[in-house]
Amino acid sequence: MHASIDWRRAACAAAIVASLVLAGCKEPAPPQEDIRPVNVVKVTSVAGDGDATYTGDVRARHEAAMGFRVPGKIVARNVEVGTRVEKGQTLARLDPGDFQLNIEAQKSQLAAAESDYLQAKDDLERYRNLHEQKFVSAAEFDRRQNLFNVAKARLEQARAQLGVSQNQSDYTTLRADARGVITSITAEVGQVVAAGQEVMRLARLEEKEVVVSVPESRLDEIRAAKAITVSLWAEPNEKFGGRIREISPSADPVTRTYAAKITIVDPSPRVQLGMTANVRLDGAGPGEVIRLPLSALYQQGKSPAVWVVDAKTGKVALTPVKVGRYTQESVEVLEGLKAGDVVVRAGVHKLVPGQQVRVIAPGA
């Protein structure tokens, strides 16, 4: 009886060992794919802002650096920053002492040249009569003719030099070449300045414009504007017409924006230089646009992209897009998406192409 019990125990032990061996030979179950929950937004087209507004400052179209055409020491300055001046008005003066002495020296040289000229002229007339009467030779008459020509040339030279000296003396007075306003002064009384050195800046008042900065994504909009309206921050109820005069061909290296100059048509006297102005471009924006939250953008190299969820497979794909205007919370998508696409709106930096996702909060 004891032998029968031992046999049964041995058979049970062998069965247990065999089952364990068979279990150890089976392949491990494959790991389940990580399904990430995502917050998404469904793409829809909305009515875009047909108008665009930019802020800039009022400037004079023509602003020139004023300086003396001769070197010297400034002895008088008749204007201050903000002074309105008329054409021909005196702005500043240099010490004219040396220039007056030069004029006196040139006058003396002119007097001597005139005396030589008259003497040569009288000699030529006498020798002409003697030559006609055959008392002097033709060679002697030609010599007198040459002396007369030399005296005449020296007289003309002396007159020209006197004119130059008088002009240089006149250049010691700096005058306004147009009606305008003084915007800056860079030299003071007592300072010695070189010829052509900037002393002050004069802004003309006959034409005013507003300078605004335009991002590269909106250059086409400003060119396509149907009408432009300019208003002042200080006078919001007063509107002026505008006209695009110039768009910079290159971007600012710091802001990466393009400077656009808008001429103000028939500005009132209340439009002062330096005022803040709003430029409204009527009909510049698109009619229908796609807007996404800023958190939906993913940077793919140097180009923006978004994660689009495939409705059939539930997997995400990285789709490049072209963006337009940015706001504090959203961005306009110009190309790359269509109405009905489902885009991941948060956690875009934790996804990989082809990853399985689970939509937890679809939104409009």
Side-chain angles (χ1 to χ4, degrees):
M1 183 174 179
H2 290 287
S4 176
I5 294 174
D6 293 338
W7 180 84
R8 290 178 180 177
R9 289 178 179 176
C12 290
I16 292 173
V17 172
S19 63
L20 292 176
V21 172
L22 291 175
C25 293
K26 292 183 179 179
E27 295 182 358
Q32 294 184 351
E33 185 178 1
D34 182 19
I35 301 179
R36 182 177 296 276
V38 293
N39 192 323
V40 300
V41 58
K42 189 174 182 180
V43 174
T44 57
S45 297
V46 298
D49 185 5
D51 302 333
T53 303
Y54 298 92
T55 301
D57 57 325
V58 178
R59 301 181 187 178
R61 177 177 178 179
H62 302 286
E63 185 174 0
M66 306 293 292
F68 293 98
R69 298 171 66 174
V70 292
K73 179 180 179 180
I74 300 177
V75 295
R77 178 167 60 80
N78 303 336
V79 295
E80 301 291 343
V81 174
T83 303
R84 291 179 175 269
V85 298
E86 299 296 330
K87 183 177 180 179
Q89 181 175 337
T90 299
L91 307 178
R93 288 187 296 106
L94 296 178
D95 183 2
D98 293 340
F99 297 95
Q100 293 295 332
L101 293 176
N102 193 28
I103 289 176
E104 295 300 324
Q106 294 299 329
K107 286 182 178 180
S108 298
Q109 293 183 7
L110 176 60
E114 288 178 343
S115 179
D116 293 340
Y117 170 76
L118 294 176
Q119 180 65 41
K121 183 179 179 181
D122 292 341
D123 289 344
L124 180 62
E125 290 297 328
R126 286 193 297 268
Y127 273 84
R128 177 178 287 109
N129 294 331
L130 293 174
H131 176 63
E132 291 175 354
Q133 298 174 15
K134 306 298 182 181
F135 291 121
V136 295
S137 65
E140 183 64 22
F141 175 74
D142 292 341
R143 190 172 70 86
R144 295 296 173 175
Q145 179 69 52
N146 290 335
L147 291 176
F148 170 77
N149 294 339
V150 171
K152 181 179 180 181
R154 287 176 178 173
L155 176 62
E156 293 176 352
Q157 180 184 16
R159 287 174 177 171
Q161 289 178 344
L162 177 61
V164 171
S165 298
Q166 291 174 338
N167 288 340
Q168 289 181 338
S169 178
D170 186 63
Y171 295 155
T172 59
T173 300
L174 182 62
R175 298 181 177 87
D177 57 358
R179 176 176 172 269
V181 60
I182 304 299
T183 58
S184 68
I185 294 177
T186 56
E188 297 295 336
V189 174
Q191 182 175 345
V192 178
V193 295
Q197 179 180 339
E198 180 179 336
V199 175
M200 59 189 70
R201 298 189 70 88
L202 174 64
R204 299 185 180 183
L205 299 177
E206 62 265 18
E207 189 170 352
K208 299 175 183 176
E209 60 187 17
V210 181
V211 181
V212 298
S213 298
V214 182
E216 58 184 288
S217 60
R218 310 208 67 181
L219 286 176
D220 292 338
E221 293 183 6
I222 192 172
R223 293 190 180 101
K226 298 178 181 178
I228 299 178
T229 304
V230 179
S231 61
L232 300 177
W233 184 82
E235 299 284 345
N237 296 326
E238 191 170 7
K239 310 294 183 182
F240 307 95
R243 182 178 64 253
I244 298 176
R245 184 181 71 83
E246 177 185 306
I247 299 178
S248 175
S250 59
D252 184 275
V254 177
T255 63
R256 305 307 304 168
T257 57
Y258 291 78
K261 299 179 180 180
I262 314 298
T263 299
I264 304 176
V265 180
D266 297 328
S268 69
R270 287 188 292 274
V271 181
Q272 302 295 322
L273 300 181
M275 281 187 168
T276 301
N278 293 324
V279 176
R280 184 181 181 88
L281 310 177
D282 300 332
E288 295 288 332
V289 297
I290 292 175
R291 289 197 180 97
L292 291 179
L294 289 176
S295 58
L297 283 185
Y298 180 86
Q299 195 70 20
Q300 184 184 23
K302 295 183 179 180
S303 303
V306 296
W307 292 100
V308 177
V309 181
D310 191 321
K312 295 182 180 180
T313 63
K315 297 182 178 182
V316 293
L318 193 59
T319 303
V321 294
K322 180 180 179 181
V323 299
R325 179 171 48 177
Y326 286 85
T327 64
Q328 292 183 349
E329 299 179 353
S330 64
V331 60
E332 292 181 0
V333 177
L334 306 179
E335 297 178 5
L337 295 177
K338 62 182 183 299
D341 289 342
V342 178
V343 176
V344 178
R345 68 187 301 171
V348 295
H349 297 286
K350 298 181 179 180
L351 300 176
V352 295
Q355 183 173 1
Q356 191 78 30
V357 296
R358 176 169 54 88
V359 175
I360 59 173

